[in-house]
């Protein structure tokens, strides 16, 4: 069963190995969310308390829902819409639908931000950060120049979407699994190097203090919702991405073990990113709340000064692009799986057509970043930040809430248990998981929502 190549199963793919499934799920989870988004929203929401609440959400909401999505996916071997229709149908099918819609929305702006990373890879190849003798103060201006250039952003967005489509066309298993196995460890190594360097630098102590000393007064209702929403975004939960990947897994997979491993890796990468960036913020007197450009404004300063900075800058942005790609393909996969399984499109058509439509949907996000024109949609947020807010703070947690309720109350405990323990796996914490998914997780998500609406 473990060596199941997809030519034996013409319609749906399967991972070629257990490790393939772990790496693909970790690849989906680890992405721009960890390296681009986590540090910048942590900066905007005041650090410590936000980080600790985020960690609390990973454990109490994220891990239980990741197990639930894998259980539903593997049990049905279907796309999210098909999975809910098969298990219950009726209004529950809407949960699957919400996931497909979230896939469209999130991927549209994800490609824009990933496009920035591709541009930075190109800049580092040109030696922009290492050989030009730039002063630290000039580095952040490079980012401003990119945002002011509408068509450069659309160009890199298109390049990135092209890469995503190309990989998804190749099918589920193949080359991607192999590439993942090499890239992830290198990404870890570089991040560890940058984090250690950061913590040992003059701004290190201040960064540690900022990241881990809670000032609970700063954790207001919007910050709590942002932290919880980010737990969903970062772990790829609430929209059926992990469900879809689970649908390609076979019985030999130990679901709880994979969910736990992936969550730990994902959290680790986020913390390392914070530890790499905030020392630079404090050393150079930058604003922690610098916003979505944080990663692009901080790390290049250090690349210019490190021995080997030229090579490290190239490697870093290459890996950032790669991490973004392994997440983007899981977003596109949700949409493609729906059109293949439910609409009986062939994979090629679904990938090309949907990739193109999602690219078009992303163009407003790219154009909205031009700071010379003030595009404000929600508060002082431009279009990109606004749909990111709606998707991650509302769509994903709502999807997650419904997935938790479905797993805890609609699926019978017997069915859920049989699915997690398939293939002779004994899930020692089954009781705890089922209690969490039935009571704790849905109540917590609901409380954070109600808190935001101002009910307390
Ligand atoms: N988890 C990915 C990241 O952190 C983003 C993502 C969200 C991927 C939802 C799939 C589904 O970058």
């Amino acid at each position: 069963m473990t060596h199941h190549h997809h030519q034996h199963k013409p319609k749906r793919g399967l991972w070629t190995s257990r490790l393939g499934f772990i790496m693909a799920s970790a690849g989906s989870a680890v992405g721009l969310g960890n390296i681009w988004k986590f540090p910048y929203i942590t900066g905007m929401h005041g650090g410590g308390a936000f980080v600790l609440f985020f960690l609390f959400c990973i454990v109490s909401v994220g891990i239980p829902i990741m197990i639930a999505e894998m259980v539903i996916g593997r049990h049905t071997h279907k796309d999210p819409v098909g999975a809910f229709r098969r298990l219950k149908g009726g209004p529950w099918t809407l949960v699957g639908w919400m996931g497909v819609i979230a896939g469209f929305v999130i991927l549209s702006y994800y490609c824009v931000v990933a496009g920035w990373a591709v541009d930075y890879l190109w800049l580092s190849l040109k030696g922009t950060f290492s050989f030009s003798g730039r002063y630290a103060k000039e580095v952040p201006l490079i980012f401003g120049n990119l945002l002011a250039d509408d068509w450069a952003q659309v160009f890199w967005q298109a390049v990135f979407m092209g890469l995503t489509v190309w990989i998804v066309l190749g099918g589920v298993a193949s080359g991607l699994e192999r590439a993942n196995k090499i890239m992830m460890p290198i990404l870890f190594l570089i991040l560890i190097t940058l984090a250690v360097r950061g913590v040992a630098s003059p701004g290190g102590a201040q960064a540690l203090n900022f990241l881990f000393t809670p000032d609970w007064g700063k954790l207001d209702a919007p910050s709590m919702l942002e932290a919880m929403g980010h737990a969903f975004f970062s772990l790829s939960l609430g929209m059926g991405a992990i469900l879809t990947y689970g649908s390609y897994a076979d019985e030999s997979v130990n679901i709880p073990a994979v969910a736990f491993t992936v969550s730990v890796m994902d959290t680790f990468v986020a913390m390392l990113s914070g530890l790499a960036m905030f020392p630079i913020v404090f050393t150079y007197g930058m604003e922690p709340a610098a916003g979505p450009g944080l990663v692009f404004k901080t790390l290049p300063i250090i690349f210019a000064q490190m021995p080997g900075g030229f090579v490290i800058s190239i490697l870093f942005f290459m890996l950032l692009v790669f991490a973004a790609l392994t997440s983007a393909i899981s977003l596109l996969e949700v949409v493609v799986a729906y059109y293949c399984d439910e609409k009986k499109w062939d994979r090629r058509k679904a990938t090309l057509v949907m990739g193109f439509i999602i690219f078009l949907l992303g163009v407003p996000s790219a154009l909205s970043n031009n700071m010379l024109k003030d595009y404000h949609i929600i508060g002082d947020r431009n279009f990109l930040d606004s749909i990111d807010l709606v998707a991650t703070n509302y769509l994903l947690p709502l999807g997650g809430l419904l997935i938790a309720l479905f797993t805890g109350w609609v699926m019978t405990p017997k069915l859920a248990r049989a699915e997690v323990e398939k293939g002779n796996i004994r899930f020692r914490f089954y009781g705890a998981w089922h209690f969490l998914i039935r009571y704790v997780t849905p109540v917590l998500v609901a409380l954070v929502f109600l808190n935001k609406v101002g009910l307390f």
Side-chain angles (χ1 to χ4, degrees), residues 53 56-57 59-62 64 224-225 228 232 401 436 439-451 456:
F53 188 70
F56 170 74
C57 290
V59 174
S60 59
V61 174
M224 286 174 98
L225 183 60
M228 186 182 73
F232 282 97
L401 172 64
L436 282 172
Y439 302 105
V440 180
T441 304
V443 168
L444 280 174
V445 178
L447 284 179
V448 173
F449 270 134
L450 293 178
N451 187 35
F456 306 116

Side-chain angles (χ1 to χ4, degrees), residues 175-407:
L176 190 78
E177 284 185 30
R178 235 172 310 129
N180 242 333
K181 283 175 209 160
I182 311 166
M183 301 291 233
M184 289 281 249
I186 310 180
L187 178 64
F188 267 77
L189 268 177
I190 293 200
L191 279 176
I192 290 173
T193 311
L194 293 171
V196 168
R197 198 198 136 99
V199 171
S201 77
Q206 213 181 332
L208 279 173
N209 186 44
F210 179 76
L211 282 171
F212 299 113
T213 308
D215 172 356
W216 296 109
K218 285 188 182 153
L219 194 67
D220 54 6
S223 297
M224 286 174 98
L225 183 60
E226 181 80 14
M228 186 182 73
H230 187 65
F232 282 97
F233 184 83
S234 192
L235 294 175
S236 305
L237 298 176
M239 55 153 289
I242 292 294
L243 187 158
T244 304
Y245 273 15
S247 79
Y248 303 126
D250 68 36
E251 278 60 45
S252 67
V253 164
N254 184 338
I255 287 179
V258 176
F260 188 75
T261 310
V262 169
S263 304
V264 170
M265 280 167 82
D266 187 74
T267 307
F268 198 54
V269 172
M271 297 303 131
L272 287 174
S273 302
L275 289 172
M277 284 167 224
F278 282 105
I280 306 172
V281 167
F282 293 119
T283 303
Y284 290 91
M286 296 166 72
E287 193 42 60
L294 191 72
V295 57
F296 302 102
K297 291 176 180 168
T298 53
L299 294 182
I301 297 180
I302 290 308
F303 295 146
Q305 300 167 4
M306 291 175 94
F310 175 63
V311 175
I312 294 181
S313 66
I314 295 170
L315 270 175
F316 176 80
F317 286 113
M318 207 176 78
L319 292 164
L320 182 58
V321 170
F322 193 82
L325 260 179
T326 54
S327 301
I329 58 171
S330 73
L331 286 159
L332 186 54
E333 187 62 37
V334 172
V335 176
V336 167
Y338 167 75
Y339 283 95
C340 291
D341 287 354
E342 305 304 307
K343 301 282 171 208
K344 308 294 172 212
W345 286 24
D346 73 64
R347 204 178 161 80
R348 204 181 147 73
K349 175 178 161 196
T351 309
L352 289 171
V353 171
M354 294 305 143
F356 185 65
I357 293 178
I358 296 169
F359 162 74
L360 291 181
L361 275 173
V363 172
S365 287
L367 301 183
S368 82
N369 299 308
N370 196 329
M371 307 215 244
L372 304 174
K373 318 185 178 116
D374 270 327
Y375 297 118
H376 292 167
I377 309 282
I378 301 178
D380 56 2
R381 291 181 181 81
N382 66 19
F383 187 73
L384 190 160
D385 302 336
S386 300
I387 52 169
D388 180 30
L389 181 89
V390 172
T392 48
N393 286 11
Y394 297 95
L395 269 181
L396 298 185
L398 185 60
L401 172 64
L402 294 171
I403 290 169
L405 289 174
F406 185 85
T407 313

